[in-house]
Amino acid sequence: MLQAETEPKLYTCGRVSGGVSAHVLCAVFTATVAVLSKPGSSLFSWHPFLMTLAFSFIMTEAILLFSTHSSLFRKAKHQTKARLHWILQSLSASCAVFGFGAIVYNKHVHGKPHFTSWHGLIGVITVCVAVLQSVGGLAILYPKLAKGWSLAKLKRSHAAFGLVAYLLGSASVVLGTSSAWFTGRVTGYAWYMMAFCPALGALVVMSQVTNAYMAKKRLQS
C-alpha cells in the first residue's frame, strides 16, 4: 500500500527533475557554445551558434511547452501553447536554415567538400525535416488545410515526426561535439559534460512524447 502511494510521487519528482534539468542544461550548453563560437567573429562562427540555438534550446523549449510537469507556461490555455509552440518551431527552423547556409557558404569559400561526415549528413537531413515539420504544423493550427485528415490523426503524426526531427537534431548536435572545432576548445571531463547536455534533452523529450501517446492510448482503450 505504501509503495503504491509513493510511486506516483517518485514518478512526478523524476519527471519534474528531468524537465528542469533539460531546461537548465540545454540553456547552459547553448550559452557555452555562444561563448566558444563568438557569433559574428567569422562566417563559420554563425554555424555552431545558430544550430545549437535552434535544436538544443529553442526546439527543446517548444516541445517542453506541453509538459505537464516542467512547462514554463503550465497555466496557459492549450491553444495559446500551440501557437507559441509553432512560433518557436518556426524560429528554430529559421535559425537552422541560416546556420546551414553559413556552413555551406563557408565551405564553398574555402573550397572544402560538403557533407563528408556523419555530422554533415545528419545535419542536412535534420534541417530539411525541421522545415517540413514547421510547415506541417500549420495543419494543426488550421485543420481545414489538411482535408481528409482528422485532427487526432494530424496531431499523432505531427508528434511522431516532431520527435524524429528533435532526435535527429540532438544527434547532429552531439556529433558536432566530436568535430575538430569543438574538441580543440573543450577537452577532458568538460567535453563529456557538454555532450551529455543535448543527450539528456533528447531523453526527456522522448519520454514526454511517448508517455503522452501511451496515455492517450489508455484513454481510448
Side-chain angles (χ1 to χ4, degrees):
M1 185 70 177
L2 179 60
Q3 184 179 4
E5 291 178 353
T6 56
E7 279 183 348
K9 292 182 180 179
L10 291 174
Y11 172 83
T12 301
C13 288
R15 301 282 289 178
V16 171
S17 298
V20 171
S21 297
H23 282 298
V24 174
L25 292 180
C26 287
V28 170
F29 179 80
T30 303
T32 303
V33 171
V35 171
L36 293 173
S37 62
K38 299 176 182 178
S41 59
S42 66
L43 178 59
F44 173 82
S45 68
W46 289 107
H47 174 67
F49 170 67
L50 288 174
M51 287 303 202
T52 304
L53 181 65
F55 295 111
S56 183
F57 183 68
I58 299 177
M59 190 174 284
T60 300
E61 294 300 326
I63 297 174
L64 291 180
L65 270 174
F66 298 107
S67 172
T68 56
H69 299 96
S70 56
S71 173
L72 298 178
F73 297 87
R74 281 197 298 174
K75 295 183 179 180
K77 295 181 179 179
H78 184 80
Q79 186 177 11
T80 302
K81 289 181 181 180
R83 291 188 178 278
L84 184 55
H85 170 80
W86 185 81
I87 291 172
L88 289 175
Q89 289 289 67
S90 298
L91 181 59
S92 172
S94 298
C95 288
V97 168
F98 283 113
F100 175 73
I103 191 61
V104 168
Y105 187 64
N106 183 71
K107 284 181 175 289
H108 173 73
V109 169
H110 293 89
K112 294 183 178 181
H114 300 282
F115 317 125
T116 58
S117 66
W118 281 110
H119 172 63
L121 290 172
I122 293 179
V124 66
I125 294 172
T126 302
V127 172
C128 292
V129 173
V131 171
L132 290 174
Q133 180 69 1
S134 182
V135 173
L138 287 171
I140 306 295
L141 293 176
Y142 307 102
K144 291 183 179 179
L145 294 175
K147 295 181 179 179
W149 285 64
S150 66
L151 184 58
K153 189 175 182 179
L154 283 172
K155 287 183 176 180
R156 286 196 301 270
S157 300
H158 184 70
F161 284 110
L163 178 59
V164 171
Y166 185 79
L167 292 179
L168 282 171
S170 297
S172 181
V173 171
V174 171
L175 287 171
T177 62
S178 298
S179 66
W181 176 83
F182 194 86
T183 55
R185 290 162 174 76
V186 182
T187 58
Y189 290 111
W191 182 88
Y192 289 100
M193 292 176 65
M194 289 291 287
F196 174 73
C197 292
L200 175 65
L203 288 174
V204 171
V205 167
M206 184 168 58
S207 176
Q208 174 184 314
V209 174
T210 53
N211 275 279
Y213 175 75
M214 292 304 293
K216 289 181 180 178
K217 290 289 287 184
R218 284 195 297 271
L219 288 173
Q220 293 172 356
S221 61

